[in-house]
Amino acid sequence: MMRERLAINQITTPTWSLEQAIAGYARHGVRGVGVWRDKLAECGVARARRLLRDADAWVPSLCKAGDLALLRERGPGAALADCRQAIDEAAEIGAGAVVFVCGGGAAAGLARARMEVRDLLREAAPLAAQAGVKLGIEPFHPMHAAERGCVNTLAQALRLCQEAGPGCGVVLDVFHTWWDPDLYDSLAPHCLPHIATVQLCDWRVPTRHPVNDRAMMGDGAADLAGLLACLARSGYAGPYEVEIFSTDWWERDPDEVVRIAVDRCRTLLSNP
Amino acid sequence: MMRERLAINQITTPTWSLEQAIAGYARHGVRGVGVWRDKLAECGVARARRLLRDADAWVPSLCKAGDLALLRERGPGAALADCRQAIDEAAEIGAGAVVFVCGGGAAAGLARARMEVRDLLREAAPLAAQAGVKLGIEPFHPMHAAERGCVNTLAQALRLCQEAGPGCGVVLDVFHTWWDPDLYDSLAPHCLPHIATVQLCDWRVPTRHPVNDRAMMGDGAADLAGLLACLARSGYAGPYEVEIFSTDWWERDPDEVVRIAVDRCRTLLSNP
């Protein structure tokens, strides 16, 4: 399943261009590439499509759209336009999902921010459905509720997903959700079709920075084997995507980082 | 309701002894004192009882017992003995609750740590019931799941509470729970008898330290007015306890900190 389902997200190797990432991951047998929009813009969408096709590569997710900061600064129309553009880009490169990052609740208050997210999703989801792309809500760790993401559990994301209808999905990231006592209950078989991609890393102990101190799979406190077993039992057949925000790992040779990540995934994914 | 229900937790004024805290809070009209066991030991339990009685003061909570670190180091018997001692101390000074701090899940793995907490609670709750004290499980913020507290939502604490039976309650701290999308649902009237005390502070934006950077009520992102209104609607009649872990506030004159806290609470509690 490594070839069809394993991907690496570009943020894991931020010094590489998209072209370098496609080639670099392929050197380690990985054809899945989680793409960021700034890297995509740098490469050009049409050229990216060719590079991906020529390398026989595929894209689990395109990051990101949806942040309430944009809505706050330039209004709901601008936020929707940004979603639309991200959806178009995702469709062009054949990405399965656009990562919908909700943005924090401090500016508007958490309750109002959550309603704004719901409203934006309701408008943007049909556009995604039309384009054959999932708009993937990413629940963020509760420590990010004020500043980065006001949707904070998988259950909450799934409720939003059902309210917004077809076109909406969930991006499940281990870093944000590993602590959740209801995580496995929320991964019941009937919820699985909503999971657009599963992003892997580990929870470093201690976590010295709220964003950029994630651990490599196996080096932290998250029960990855338990999560993968739960997903397998429920029938999850989607991508696994390594995504490591880490100033420590960013300082290392990207080829070494990818080699280690693939090695860890081989162990994890062979015993689900 | 200020006199009967408002308390200040000693950690808000850590340079004060228990005697100084009782007198200091009383200068600002506050008779409720959240006590820490190290300060209690320093004062002596019998002397503390007299000081509290003479000042017409009352104790919402005694902090803390239950940490899995103790269980890990010295076994379940030692952890239970520590709970028993804390319960005895709480009964002696008339405290409503012992704050049960669960401890983190990194050492044993989160699932196993949670089972250990459940087992310890089942054994310790009858002791608390017998002593007329609540053993108050404190759900900790999910960012503390690995190192400090493996019970991370109010709903999870309430489930544990029901499993452990009489003697068990919940300590609800705004800092740990303000982000929870299910918080108000978990505060339905039938759950209210389990809430032993409600600890107030605010969520600083940004939060620069995971433990010691809490904000004064009104200075952060938490919807305190919304929470208090929800508690009032559900019929909560227990204590409100100011508890501010903050290196910033700890540097200020304790009398000024208490004056400001009481002032903020007066506004908050007069418009629930």
Side-chain angles (χ1 to χ4, degrees):
Chain A
M1 74 130 104
M2 296 284 284
R3 190 182 175 89
E4 301 81 29
R5 296 179 63 190
L6 184 62
I8 295 180
N9 186 291
Q10 282 206 270
I11 204 69
T12 310
T13 57
T15 58
W16 278 352
S17 67
L18 180 53
E19 182 169 14
Q20 289 173 309
I22 294 169
Y25 303 164
R27 278 197 294 281
H28 299 274
V30 175
R31 305 288 163 170
V33 182
V35 175
W36 281 63
R37 289 177 74 197
D38 57 337
K39 297 281 190 187
L40 181 61
E42 198 183 275
C43 177
V45 178
R47 186 159 165 267
R49 193 178 51 216
R50 280 198 304 279
L51 289 169
L52 289 161
R53 189 194 55 207
D54 293 349
D56 194 20
W58 55 277
V59 180
S61 68
L62 176 64
C63 193
K64 61 186 182 180
D67 199 313
L68 290 179
L70 183 65
L71 183 147
R72 195 82 44 228
E73 276 166 38
R74 292 171 40 210
L80 184 62
D82 184 57
C83 286
R84 187 193 308 269
Q85 194 188 325
I87 289 163
D88 289 348
E89 290 168 11
E92 278 208 68
I93 60 169
V98 166
V99 181
F100 186 94
V101 171
C102 299
L110 203 47
R112 186 169 151 216
R114 286 167 173 169
M115 283 191 286
E116 288 170 343
V117 164
R118 182 199 61 191
D119 294 346
L120 181 54
L121 281 169
R122 277 183 183 161
E123 291 205 79
L127 307 177
Q130 238 173 355
V133 170
K134 286 268 186 205
L135 199 56
I137 308 164
E138 181 160 5
F140 264 43
H141 195 286
M143 72 184 166
H144 293 317
E147 294 163 273
R148 292 178 190 87
C150 61
V151 172
N152 305 106
T153 64
L154 175 56
Q156 185 190 11
L158 287 169
R159 287 195 296 264
L160 281 167
C161 205
Q162 289 202 303
E163 280 179 48
C168 213
V170 173
V171 171
L172 182 68
D173 185 319
V174 167
F175 179 82
H176 293 306
T177 58
W178 75 280
W179 59 271
D180 185 349
D182 297 323
L183 184 60
Y184 292 0
D185 283 347
S186 299
L187 290 171
H190 69 276
C191 301
L192 263 287
H194 294 302
I195 309 293
T197 183
V198 174
Q199 298 183 324
L200 301 176
C201 68
D202 212 329
W203 179 270
R204 196 183 181 285
V205 181
T207 291
R208 299 158 300 179
H209 184 277
V211 178
N212 299 330
D213 196 27
R214 301 186 180 195
M216 180 63 71
M217 295 75 68
D219 293 344
D223 180 12
L224 290 168
L227 174 64
L228 268 59
C230 172
L231 284 161
R233 275 196 308 275
S234 286
Y236 177 66
Y240 287 107
E241 187 181 343
V242 175
E243 188 189 56
I244 299 176
F245 289 74
S246 159
T247 44
D248 281 1
W249 286 97
W250 290 339
E251 276 173 13
R252 296 171 73 160
D253 170 26
D255 254 296
E256 191 198 348
V257 175
V258 174
R259 184 183 58 74
I260 294 170
V262 170
D263 199 52
R264 300 286 173 92
C265 286
R266 194 165 283 132
T267 312
L268 266 176
L269 297 174
S270 62
N271 307 304
Chain B
M1 73 129 106
M2 296 284 283
R3 189 180 174 91
E4 301 82 28
R5 296 179 63 191
L6 184 62
I8 295 179
N9 187 290
Q10 283 205 268
I11 204 69
T12 309
T13 57
T15 58
W16 278 352
S17 68
L18 179 55
E19 182 168 15
Q20 288 173 310
I22 294 169
Y25 303 164
R27 277 198 294 281
H28 299 273
V30 175
R31 305 287 164 173
V33 182
V35 176
W36 280 64
R37 290 177 73 197
D38 57 337
K39 298 279 189 187
L40 181 61
E42 196 183 274
C43 177
V45 178
R47 185 159 166 267
R49 194 178 50 216
R50 281 197 305 278
L51 289 170
L52 288 160
R53 188 195 54 207
D54 294 349
D56 194 19
W58 56 276
V59 179
S61 68
L62 176 64
C63 193
K64 60 185 185 183
D67 200 311
L68 290 180
L70 182 65
L71 184 146
R72 195 83 42 227
E73 276 166 37
R74 293 169 40 210
L80 185 62
D82 183 59
C83 287
R84 189 193 308 268
Q85 194 189 323
I87 290 163
D88 289 348
E89 290 168 12
E92 277 207 69
I93 60 169
V98 166
V99 181
F100 185 93
V101 171
C102 300
L110 203 48
R112 188 171 149 213
R114 286 167 173 169
M115 284 190 285
E116 288 170 342
V117 164
R118 182 199 62 193
D119 294 346
L120 181 54
L121 281 168
R122 277 183 183 161
E123 290 204 79
L127 307 177
Q130 240 174 353
V133 170
K134 285 268 187 205
L135 199 56
I137 308 164
E138 181 160 6
F140 264 43
H141 194 286
M143 72 184 167
H144 293 318
E147 294 163 273
R148 294 178 189 87
C150 62
V151 171
N152 305 107
T153 64
L154 174 56
Q156 185 190 11
L158 287 168
R159 287 195 296 265
L160 281 167
C161 203
Q162 289 202 304
E163 279 179 48
C168 213
V170 174
V171 171
L172 182 68
D173 186 319
V174 167
F175 179 81
H176 293 307
T177 57
W178 74 279
W179 59 270
D180 185 349
D182 298 322
L183 184 61
Y184 292 1
D185 284 346
S186 298
L187 290 172
H190 69 277
C191 300
L192 263 289
H194 296 301
I195 309 292
T197 184
V198 174
Q199 297 183 324
L200 301 176
C201 68
D202 211 330
W203 179 269
R204 194 181 184 285
V205 180
T207 291
R208 300 159 299 180
H209 185 277
V211 177
N212 299 329
D213 196 28
R214 300 185 180 196
M216 181 62 73
M217 296 76 68
D219 293 344
D223 180 13
L224 290 168
L227 174 64
L228 266 60
C230 171
L231 283 161
R233 276 195 308 275
S234 286
Y236 177 66
Y240 287 106
E241 186 181 345
V242 175
E243 188 188 56
I244 299 177
F245 289 74
S246 158
T247 44
D248 281 1
W249 286 96
W250 289 340
E251 276 172 14
R252 296 170 74 160
D253 170 25
D255 253 296
E256 190 198 350
V257 175
V258 174
R259 184 183 59 72
I260 294 170
V262 170
D263 198 53
R264 300 287 173 92
C265 285
R266 194 165 282 131
T267 312
L268 265 176
L269 296 174
S270 63
N271 308 304

